[in-house]
Every structure is written in C-alpha cells, then in structure tokens.
Amino acid sequence: MKKTACPKKRLQRHPKFLLKPLTLTISLLFLGTAPTAVHADAGVTDLGWLGPIDDRYAYSIAYGVNSAGDVVVGFSIPVGSSGTHAFRWTQTTGMTDLGTLQANNTGNSVAYDVNAAGNVVVGDTFYSGASAHAFRWTQASGMSDLGTLANDKTTGQSFAYGVNAAGDVVVGQADNGTAHHAFRWTQASGMPDLGTPPTAKAPIVQIPVPG
C-alpha cells in the first residue's frame, strides 16, 4: 500500500522506544492532517484519528490488519492528550482508543498487530515513568501487562510485535536485566527468555499461523 499524506505537513514523531524496529516490513498508512486529503488510490479509506476533527496537529498511523481486512490497529493522538494512544478500528465502531497501563490513561501506547479474528491486539505502552511494557488487549479483559524478562517481571522494558491467528501466543523483545532478548508469551508459560542467535540483533516479530 502506498504511503499517503498531505504535503507540506510535518508530523510529530512517535517516541523512539515505541517505534517498531527498522528490520520489520510494515505498511504505514499516514492518515490525518485534513479530512479533505486527496488520495491517488481510490481504494484507500481515511480512518480518521482519535482527536477533534478540526485539530490541525492530529494524525494516525496504521501498523496492523487482521486476515479479513476489517480490523486495523495502530496509534493516534487522542482528545486532550499530547501523547499517542493505541487504537483498534472497525467499520462499525470507528477508531477506538485502547488507552495505556498508567492511571487515567496517561502516557503513550501503540498497537502493532492483531489476531485473525480481530479481537486480540498487541503492542507496547507506558508502564511507569518512561518505561514501556508489552501489552495484550482483548475485548473481554482490556489491556493486560505482559511484564519483562527481569527477575521481578517489571524492571526494564518490553515490546510485543506479533500475535498468532488464535491470539494466544505473543512474540517480541524484553529486558532481562542486562540486554533485550526475544520472547514468546503464552497464558500458561508467561514470558520465557528465548535468548539471541550468535549474531542476531533484531527481535522475533512474526509467528506462523499454528503458533
């Protein structure tokens, strides 16, 4: 999909620690800056943003879509906030703010992937101060903290980049106290440390359909 954005508009950059590594192959859909934007591709739909319709600084970015193509996830700037919040979009509900793990939904969050059915979303969010923790969001339970690889399960940061079709296996990278290692999370096993290959520096970011 082509990147689409209004010309001569400087978009606010998302905090570095919430950005997906450059090793990932992603399609960014730059929507925002003005509802009257002209798109070269007639198949592109403007998903809008979480802020006021007349906010000239509002924008949104889509990172993931489910297998049916009817659920989109990413981040946007919500009403009354200078940070970014993860969103889940459907044709019926429009763009829904998934919030953060901090009190009163302060801080930032971003959604990177969604399962096949579109009801499980993963990404990362502010947990404490400027630290980010991986999250798994469901319609039933909302946003759940997946923790980190540190001994206390909270120190450091973690980032969830992918989820399997069933929504019960999450992958990404997390802080183990000395370095960031790949992880594979399940409800039963929690977040085991997968380590790193001898020369690899990028996290695991994709799961085969069976999980």
Side-chain angles (χ1 to χ4, degrees), residues 12 33 37 39 46 49 94 103 107 112 120 138 142 151 156-157 162:
Q12 177 182 333
T33 67
H39 302 292
D46 189 342
W49 49 74
Y112 287 132
V120 178
T138 69
N151 290 334
Q157 303 189 103

Side-chain angles (χ1 to χ4, degrees), residues 129-211:
S131 292
H133 275 198
F135 74 79
R136 176 178 178 270
W137 177 97
T138 69
Q139 288 179 309
S141 61
M143 186 178 286
S144 300
D145 182 7
L146 300 189
T148 69
L149 290 171
N151 290 334
D152 62 4
K153 306 300 182 184
T154 60
T155 301
Q157 303 189 103
S158 60
F159 310 84
Y161 298 129
V163 62
N164 70 336
D168 55 6
V169 179
V170 181
V171 295
Q173 64 173 335
D175 194 342
N176 69 354
T178 58
H180 277 250
H181 283 189
F183 72 79
R184 175 183 182 273
W185 176 97
T186 69
Q187 193 72 52
S189 66
M191 185 185 285
D193 187 344
L194 300 185
T196 58
T199 59
K201 296 183 179 179
I204 292 178
V205 296
Q206 191 171 12
I207 319 171
V209 172

Side-chain angles (χ1 to χ4, degrees), residues 1 17 44 56 64 76 81 97 129 162 170 199:
M1 180 180 290
F17 70 87
V44 174
R56 61 191 294 253
S76 181
S81 173
D97 185 349
V170 181
T199 59

